[in-house]
Amino acid sequence: LDSAIDTVAHLLKLSDEQKLPIETYFLRHDHSVSSCDGDGCYNIISLFMLNPAHLPPWTPEQSVITVCCIRCHDNIRNTVFLPTDVFQQKDIRELSLGSDVGANKSSEEYYRYFVEHQQNTTGCGFRPAPYQQCSKLVSDCLLRMKSQNKVLNGKEERTVVRLFGLESRD
């Protein structure tokens, strides 16, 4: 997990330094936003596929599923950073997807199964959302946190949040 977070953090740093849009280092990104739950929270579930042109040759496809749980009028409650290659393990598939949907699926398929499982377990509806909308939701939350002197905890949270801080061609 740490190496995947480090890889994504490195690509984010390059994108920041070079002022490049997210699509430069992330070939594809898909996003779903939930309805608000009974505790005033909603989730942004995303799939980020790393651009193989910026990885060492012969590196297999790399992508991550992220979850950013945001309190409507407060802070980021928690995040999840899940490299899709972990779905090769049956126990991870069962835990994260609700059942063993099988190995060797595409990242997009695992993402769809993940969103569906979250919808089924939380009772919240999920809808596709553009990157800019997700970025604004995260940015607004970070501004609320700053005004309340709250900080992000850990490398995972900071990396997931930084994924929404880039410009996009979308």
Side-chain angles (χ1 to χ4, degrees):
L1 181 61
D2 281 340
S3 66
I5 290 174
D6 290 340
T7 299
V8 170
H10 176 71
L11 295 177
L12 288 167
K13 181 180 178 193
L14 291 174
S15 189
D16 282 342
E17 289 172 350
Q18 300 168 12
K19 307 277 190 248
L20 296 171
I22 188 170
E23 292 82 8
T24 303
Y25 292 104
F26 298 90
L27 194 58
R28 181 173 172 192
H29 50 96
D30 296 318
H31 314 278
S32 297
V33 176
S34 74
S35 55
C36 192
D37 70 9
D39 292 329
C41 294
Y42 54 92
N43 291 297
I44 301 170
I45 302 177
S46 301
L47 171 68
F48 293 93
M49 298 180 72
L50 283 65
N51 187 339
H54 299 284
L55 299 172
W58 303 288
T59 302
E61 173 190 289
Q62 291 188 6
S63 56
V64 296
I65 293 174
T66 64
V67 180
C68 188
C69 180
I70 298 176
R71 289 187 174 108
C72 289
H73 299 291
D74 196 14
N75 63 334
I76 291 176
R77 181 164 71 185
N78 64 345
T79 60
V80 174
F81 183 96
L82 197 58
T84 56
D85 62 354
V86 301
F87 293 123
Q88 297 310 306
Q89 301 171 40
K90 182 180 179 184
D91 59 330
I92 299 291
R93 289 191 303 271
E94 291 173 345
L95 179 65
S96 301
L97 307 175
S99 64
D100 183 7
V101 299
N104 302 318
K105 303 279 186 196
S106 70
S107 296
E108 293 92 344
E109 289 174 296
Y110 285 129
Y111 171 71
R112 285 192 301 271
Y113 285 122
F114 188 87
V115 171
E116 182 180 308
H117 178 62
Q118 293 303 308
Q119 183 168 313
N120 292 338
T121 58
T122 65
C124 295
F126 281 84
R127 294 210 170 144
Y131 177 81
Q132 296 297 349
Q133 178 185 6
C134 297
S135 179
K136 174 120 175 72
L137 292 170
V138 172
S139 174
D140 289 351
C141 181
L142 291 174
L143 290 173
R144 287 191 302 274
M145 288 177 66
K146 183 177 180 180
S147 72
Q148 299 168 11
N149 296 319
K150 294 184 178 181
V151 296
L152 297 171
N153 296 314
K155 186 186 242 179
E156 176 187 296
E157 261 190 9
R158 289 189 303 274
T159 302
V160 169
V161 167
R162 284 181 60 211
L163 281 164
F164 294 99
L166 303 174
E167 293 299 316
S168 175
R169 292 186 198 122
D170 289 347

